Structures are given as C-alpha cells and as structure tokens.
Amino acid sequence: MVASPPDPGSDAAPDIAAIRLGLQRIGERIAQAARGAGRRPEDVTLVAVSKTQPQAAILAALQAGQAVFGENRVQEAAAKFPPLRSDWPALRLHLIGGLQTNKAADAVRLADTIESLDRPRLADAIAQAGDREGRLPALLVQVNVGDEAQKSGVPRDEADAFIAACRARFGDRLRGLMCIPPAEVDPAPHFAWLADRAARHGLSVLSMGMSADFETAIAHGATIVRVGSAIFGARPAPGEVPRGSAARVGVGHPA
Ligand SMILES: *Cc1c(COP(=O)(O)O)cnc(C)c1O
C-alpha cells in the first residue's frame, strides 16, 4: 500500500514516462563515463535524489528499476519511504543532507546510508542511536571541500583527523567520503582531492557528482553519483509554489 502523498509538489502528477526516460538516459551517460575512464559501469551506483518529489514519482522510478534514492530532510524521508519498503525490499535510502544532532536517531532508523557525517557531536549521536536501535547505517564522512561557510561538511584541514576518529569508532560501517564542490567553479580539483583523501584512508566509496557534473566525478573515481533534477525535472526554488508541469521542464534535457 502507498500512503497518501504528504509532501510539497504533490499537486502535480509525476510524468512517469519522463522519469523512466530520464533514468534510462542517466544510466547510459553513467555507463559511457565509466567506460571512458576505464572503469566498469556497475561500479558506479546511481542515487536518485527524490527530495521535494511526491511519493508517486518515487514509485514510478521504482517501477522503472531504480532502487537507490537520496533525500536531504529526515522528516520528508520519514513520510515518503517507510510505506514503500514492504513492497520494494531492494529499496535503499541514502540521507544526503546536513543532519541536525537531534534528528540522528530518526536518521539511524530510516537510512541505509548516511552520507553527511561531519562532526564529532553527530558521530556521538549516531553511535548512541545505533546502540539503542541495534542497527547502524553505512556512513560516509562529508567534507566541505570548498570550506564554504554555508555548507555542511568537515573543513578540509580537519578531515584527516575526523576520518581517522570515525574509522576507529565505526570500523567497517565507515565506507567512504562525500562532497559537494562549490558552485560556479571547476569541480575536478575538488573531486581529485576527495579521491586522494579516500585512498589515503583506505576507503572505497566516493559519493561525488550531481546532475551538472557527474561525468567529471566518475572520471575522478566516483562510486556513487547523486542525481536529482536530470531525472525528476527541475525542483521549485525554495519558497516557490510548484506549478505543475512547469516544474518539470528540463526532464531528459539536463543543462
Ligand atoms: C539536491 C542534491 C543533489 C542532486 O542535485 P541535482 O543537481 O538535482 O542533481 C545531490 N546531492 C545533494 C547533497 C543534494 O542536496
């Protein structure tokens, strides 16, 4: 059973054919980028970023064969995903947004992977919640590669110490690193920096690359790419009222 859509954007019926086509095209581009880098397509996991999308859009993606999804808000993920799990046992949820400490317990219950571990107090909260719940999601340390004040992530010069501390504490549950490079600059040096950091720490998972730059990220070793608008269409700007089909211009035609 599917719960009634609780989220923003639900007034616009999702364009199921466009989502299917978007997934197919992104899949092809991922495979091409991987082969171009001498890598295997199956070594790159697509996380379909479904934030702000109604549950019906997620269902359409599931029916098209997509299993892994990303959300940036715990509450929104909690409303949309648990009802889908029983019908879709292969479904995997990644939390990719900055995480408040007081949401850590919910995140630990909900997520298969938390990609935004970025400070000691959050590590404490996740560890405590993991003990209580008897489950611990896979974890990625998010690095604020551009040292931008408004972004989540451990600062670059604190990254080594924090990664080592998380490794000691979480062992194999710490899988790798994640970053969101600054907008408007060449992301390649940032991707290269993150890949080097992961290699130094013996971590195999690298979550980097979004709609605009996932091919560059794959060329630099990304094993996870997080793609939203190139699959589901443009999201309304924060505060903007979704306007039906106008919110989906650009599906299958990423800039
Ligand atoms: C929204 C979001 C994405 C996807 O962005 P698109 O440009 O729509 O592909 C990827 N990663 C994070 C952390 C996000 O918040």
Side-chain angles (χ1 to χ4, degrees), residues 112-192:
D112 299 290
T113 299
I114 295 174
E115 298 203 12
S116 48
L117 173 55
D118 66 353
R119 59 195 191 281
R121 283 197 55 225
L122 181 58
D124 292 344
I126 287 173
Q128 282 164 17
D131 288 345
R132 249 191 339 262
E133 298 292 325
R135 89 186 289 268
L136 192 60
L139 301 169
L140 306 184
V141 165
Q142 180 177 358
V143 182
N144 187 354
V145 286
D147 286 332
E148 296 172 280
Q150 78 282 13
K151 271 199 186 137
S152 312
V154 60
R156 259 191 198 231
D157 63 4
E158 296 169 25
D160 281 326
F162 184 62
I163 293 164
C166 288
R167 192 24 139 2
R169 179 169 211 169
F170 295 111
D172 285 350
R173 296 312 282 160
L174 179 69
R175 294 286 166 78
L177 306 181
M178 180 272 224
C179 76
I180 309 170
E184 322 289 343
V185 305
D186 179 6
H190 293 287
F191 293 152

Side-chain angles (χ1 to χ4, degrees), residues 49 51 72 96-97 178 180 210-212 226-230 235:
V49 177
K51 63 188 183 196
N72 65 342
I96 59 175
M178 180 272 224
I180 309 170
M210 323 201 312
S211 291
R226 309 177 308 269
V227 178
S229 49
R235 289 178 294 275

